[in-house]
Amino acid sequence: MSGGTIHINDGVAQLALADATTAYNTLAGLPFVYDYSGVTLGSAGYTTLTPGVYHFDSSAQLTGALTLDFLGNPDSEFVFQIGSTLTTASSSSVNVINGGALSGVYWQVGSSAILGSDTTFAGNILALASVSLDPRAEILCGRAFALTGAVTLIDNLIS
């Protein structure tokens, strides 16, 4: 940790948890456009996606390179609704192209998210339970929130 203040169950922490919970519930309640239950992101045929709400009944896996193409629309968003776990394989990646400062990527996870070693990830993870980043996993342009558990970092970069 470099600088900053730790808030443990004070007013600031309680407000942050309330805001994260509201965001989680809002994302979970969005109507989805694409049912990707059973799909493995980054696999053949699932390497490039366009904006929308993607739904997974249970778990979601990322095993290779996934490109999120905003198609030049700076106001568009990607939302991934994942019923249980999000798991990325080591050295997998999420790349964002053709977006703008207002473009958003959100991963709403019903239990826990685990980013494998050397994963390069993009977007905001809002997990009901926990988020774990294995060694050297990175979240570029995003955040990690765990509503009922912990965010665990091991030699990671979040920007």
Side-chain angles (χ1 to χ4, degrees):
M1 182 170 153
S2 73
T5 303
I6 297 173
H7 294 273
I8 299 176
N9 205 28
D10 64 3
V12 173
Q14 291 171 3
L15 181 59
L17 179 58
D19 289 346
T21 300
T22 298
Y24 177 92
N25 290 332
T26 299
L27 295 170
L30 293 175
F32 61 89
V33 177
Y34 306 101
D35 186 349
Y36 266 38
S37 300
V39 167
T40 300
L41 298 170
S43 67
Y46 302 100
T47 57
T48 302
L49 302 178
T50 55
V53 179
Y54 294 82
H55 177 83
F56 297 79
D57 282 339
S58 58
S59 63
Q61 297 179 352
L62 172 65
T63 60
L66 175 65
T67 299
L68 305 179
D69 186 350
F70 280 93
L71 304 173
N73 182 351
D75 296 326
S76 58
E77 296 182 335
F78 284 87
V79 174
F80 296 89
Q81 301 169 329
I82 302 165
S84 59
T85 57
L86 167 64
T87 306
T88 71
S90 294
S91 300
S92 58
S93 63
V94 176
N95 305 296
V96 176
I97 61 172
N98 301 319
L102 300 178
S103 302
V105 179
Y106 303 94
W107 303 80
Q108 177 263 321
V109 182
S111 61
S112 298
I114 302 168
L115 303 187
S117 298
D118 300 303
T119 291
T120 303
F121 199 79
N124 301 287
I125 302 171
L126 292 95
L128 184 59
S130 63
V131 180
S132 297
L133 279 70
D134 287 346
R136 298 167 310 283
E138 300 178 341
I139 299 177
L140 304 178
C141 196
R143 298 166 188 84
F145 299 92
L147 300 182
T148 62
V151 175
T152 304
L153 306 173
I154 305 170
D155 189 25
N156 306 110
L157 171 68
I158 299 178
S159 62

